[in-house]
Amino acid sequence: MSRLILGAMVRAVGAYPSGWRFPGAHRHPLGDAALLKRTAALAEAARLDYLFFGDWLATGKDLEYRDPYLVARIDPLSAITFLAGVTERIGLIATANTTYADPYTLARATASVDILSGGRAGLNLVTGAEPRAAGNHGLDFHAANESRYDRAVEFEIALRRLWDSFDDDAIVADAETGVFLDEAKLHTTDFHGAHVSVTGPLNVARPPQGHLPIVHAGTSPRSRLFAAQSADLALVAVGGLDHALAVREELRSLAFESGRDDRELKVIAPVLPIIGDTLAEAQGIADRLAELLPVAEDWAGGPPRGFPEARSIRTLSQLVELELDGLGPDREISPRLAADFGAAGQALIELVAARTGRRPGGPNPPRIRHLVVQQAVPASMIVGTATDIADEFEAWADAGAVDGFNVLSAVQPAQFEAFALGVVPELQRRGVFPRAYETDTLRGHLGLARPANVHAHGAAEAGRAPASTPEPAHLSESDVK
C-alpha cells in the first residue's frame, strides 16, 4: 500500500468541547504561543506531513458551550508564519474564507509564507457564510452565502494566476549587466469574473512550490465538486469504512470527469483518537471527557442562552424513540430501560460501551448523560491503545478508503503527545509512514508534482466556469474550524 499522509489539526484548547477542563490541559489562549511551539516540535520530530489550522471569523457566548476552541484563537496565517520560523521540514496549512478574503492580499500573504518557509505552506479554502462573520466584514449574510461557491471557483483561478505572475527565472539579478528583471517573464494576471476581479501582477516572486497545495472540505454536492476540480487534498468527514470508500470513489470520479489526473486528489479523513496505555485507560479518558461536558438538564432553570439544543435529554428521547424527560441526566441505563430503545438507541449504547467501557447491567453502567454527550459530539472518534489506533489507520488505508488522516487532539498537549510518541512510531514500525522526511516541501510530502506556470504554458485562459449546482442558504458544512 502507499504510505499514509498524516497531519494534525491544531486546536489549542483541545478539540473535544470539554478537553480544556481535563486535568493538566492547556486552557488559556494567551499561552498559545508556547503550546504551538511545543506541538510543532513534537509533530516535526514525529515526521508528520503538516500542521493544519482551521478558522472561524466571529465569536460569541454560545461558542463557550458548543466549541470552546472557537471563542478566541490565533489567526491561521499568523500561526503558520510564526511556526515557519521555529520549524524546518513540516508543512503548515492555514485556512482562508473565500467569501470574505481579498484574492490579491491572500495571494501575496501565502506566497510570502511559502518563500519564508522554504516551500512548506498550504492553503485550506472554505466558503461558508455565517451571520456574525458577514457583519464583521460589512456584508449581507444571505447575499454572500448564496453566491459563495461561484465566488470560490473564481477566487481559486485568480489565486493561481497571481501566484504565477513571475516565471521561476524572471528575476535575473545580473550585477554585471545591471538587469534585475526579465520583463517578458512578468505576466499580466487580469481576471474579471462575476464575483472576483483582480489585475495584478503580484509583487511577490513565484512561490517555491509554484502553487501552494489547496485543501477543501465538505460533504455537500457543490463542495465535493469544488474539491474534485480544484483541491489537492479533499478533507471529508465520513461515518465509517464503507462510507469512506464511496466518498473517495465519488471524488476521484468527479476529478477524472473534470479532466484531472484523479490520482492527484488526496482524500483525507479527520479523526479524533483517544489514546491510553491500555484500552481501559483510553476508555477512562473518554469517560471523563463525557462527565466534564454539561448537558441542558444540569441547569434547574434551563440552560444558558445559546446552549446547544442537541445536548439535551429531549433530543436524546427523539433519537432513542423513548420519552426520557424527567429521568434526569444521572439516571442509570438499566438493561430493562435499554431494551425499550429503538435501533438508533441500541447503536448509541454500543457506541458508548466501545468508547467508555460502560454497559447496561455491567459494574459501571452508563447514565443518560453519557448517551446525550455521545450523540451530541459527532467527532469521528477511535478509543484505544496506540496499537489499536494504528490498526484502524492501517485497515482504512489497506482498503483504499483514504489517503491519510487529519488528527485532532481531544486534550492538549497530552493527547497529541500520546499520538506523536505512541501511534506514529507504531505506524513507522509497520512501514506505512516514513521514519524521516523524504522531501523538503509540503507538495513533496503529499506526493504532488510542482505545477507549471499557467501563463507561460497558455493555460490561464482555460479557467473553469462556476459550477451551477444550487446550494442552500445556510451555514456550509464545508467550513473547517
Side-chain angles (χ1 to χ4, degrees):
M1 59 170 261
S2 300
R3 73 96 153 171
L4 281 170
I5 294 170
L6 287 182
M9 185 182 288
V10 182
R11 295 175 178 173
V13 297
Y16 199 91
S18 61
W20 66 275
R21 298 182 64 191
F22 203 83
H26 172 70
R27 54 179 60 108
H28 201 296
L30 290 181
D32 282 2
L35 186 279
L36 293 184
K37 285 196 288 187
R38 179 176 180 174
T39 300
L42 278 167
E44 194 160 60
R47 304 301 186 254
L48 293 192
D49 295 308
Y50 60 82
L51 296 174
F52 180 104
F53 292 85
D55 203 12
W56 192 252
L57 296 172
T59 191
K61 176 68 175 175
D62 57 304
L63 297 177
E64 174 184 359
Y65 306 108
R66 194 186 89 196
D67 291 308
Y69 69 89
L70 295 177
V71 172
R73 65 192 305 183
I74 300 296
D75 164 70
L77 276 170
S78 300
I80 70 167
T81 303
F82 170 66
L83 292 179
V86 297
T87 57
E88 295 180 353
R89 305 291 290 278
I90 194 167
L92 302 164
I93 300 176
T95 294
N97 192 317
T98 61
T99 304
Y100 308 114
D102 167 66
Y104 188 93
T105 302
L106 185 61
R108 189 180 190 213
T110 52
S112 298
V113 178
D114 204 47
I115 291 171
L116 294 172
S117 66
R120 296 186 288 124
L123 180 60
N124 174 43
L125 293 179
V126 300
T127 62
E130 192 265 350
R132 288 176 293 193
N136 288 341
H137 292 82
L139 297 178
D140 174 76
F141 161 62
H142 293 290
N145 202 40
E146 289 169 358
S147 64
R148 66 184 183 272
Y149 272 107
D150 293 338
R151 176 176 169 83
V153 170
E154 294 182 2
F155 197 107
E156 181 260 343
I157 295 170
L159 267 183
R160 295 187 189 276
R161 292 189 183 192
L162 288 165
W163 284 333
D164 282 347
S165 294
F166 291 85
D167 283 357
D168 292 322
D169 57 352
I171 305 296
V172 178
D174 189 329
E176 292 291 326
T177 64
V179 176
F180 185 77
L181 170 69
D182 183 343
E183 62 183 54
K185 296 181 179 180
L186 176 61
H187 302 285
T188 300
T189 58
D190 289 15
F191 178 84
H192 301 289
H195 306 277
V196 170
S197 183
V198 64
T199 55
L202 192 66
N203 63 342
V204 181
R206 192 171 193 241
Q209 298 182 96
H211 301 169
L212 279 66
I214 287 180
V215 185
H216 185 64
T219 56
S220 71
R222 189 71 189 273
S223 174
R224 289 185 184 176
L225 180 61
F226 181 74
Q229 292 180 334
S230 305
D232 299 294
L233 267 64
L235 186 61
V236 184
V238 291
L241 182 60
D242 290 341
H243 184 208
L245 285 163
V247 169
R248 188 170 187 252
E249 178 62 27
E250 177 191 355
L251 285 167
R252 293 215 159 169
S253 295
L254 287 170
F256 181 79
E257 291 167 6
S258 70
R260 294 183 63 184
D261 180 344
D262 60 306
R263 294 169 298 181
E264 294 177 352
L265 179 63
K266 311 295 183 181
V267 179
I268 309 296
V271 62
L272 195 159
I274 303 290
I275 308 158
D277 290 338
T278 64
L279 175 59
E281 181 182 339
Q283 290 175 330
I285 295 169
D287 189 43
R288 182 60 176 149
L289 288 168
E291 292 278 348
L292 290 171
L293 193 63
V295 302
E297 287 74 16
D298 284 330
W299 285 270
R305 182 180 178 183
F307 192 85
E309 291 183 10
R311 209 183 300 162
S312 67
I313 295 176
R314 177 175 299 178
T315 300
L316 177 67
S317 296
Q318 296 170 356
L319 177 67
V320 304
E321 302 176 45
L322 183 68
E323 183 55 59
L324 300 173
D325 276 355
L327 296 185
D330 292 315
R331 168 70 178 267
E332 290 186 356
I333 305 293
S334 66
R336 182 175 179 179
L337 180 61
D340 291 332
F341 287 0
Q346 299 297 334
L348 186 59
I349 286 174
E350 290 304 314
L351 182 62
V352 169
R355 291 182 176 179
T356 69
R358 293 176 176 265
R359 287 187 177 277
N364 192 24
R367 288 173 278 140
I368 288 177
R369 165 185 313 280
H370 296 99
L371 273 66
V372 171
V373 169
Q374 294 302 334
Q375 63 87 24
V377 180
S380 180
M381 191 183 301
I382 308 173
V383 179
T385 65
T387 299
D388 295 331
I389 309 304
D391 286 344
E392 192 80 3
F393 280 21
E394 190 174 20
W396 280 49
D398 282 343
V402 295
D403 296 290
F405 296 93
N406 215 20
V407 178
L408 299 101
S409 296
V411 180
Q412 282 280 23
Q415 280 294 296
F416 182 72
E417 290 176 354
F419 180 79
L421 301 177
V423 178
V424 175
E426 178 62 21
L427 292 170
Q428 290 169 333
R429 185 188 67 78
R430 301 178 186 204
V432 297
F433 192 70
R435 296 180 184 273
Y437 284 113
E438 300 161 337
T439 61
D440 295 321
T441 68
L442 177 56
R443 293 192 77 89
H445 299 343
L446 301 176
L448 300 171
R450 188 174 187 268
N453 188 303
V454 297
H455 304 294
H457 292 264
E461 301 307 320
R464 293 173 295 276
S468 57
T469 307
E471 186 71 14
H474 56 68
L475 178 63
S476 170
E477 57 196 335
S478 67
D479 284 284
V480 174
K481 301 172 287 190

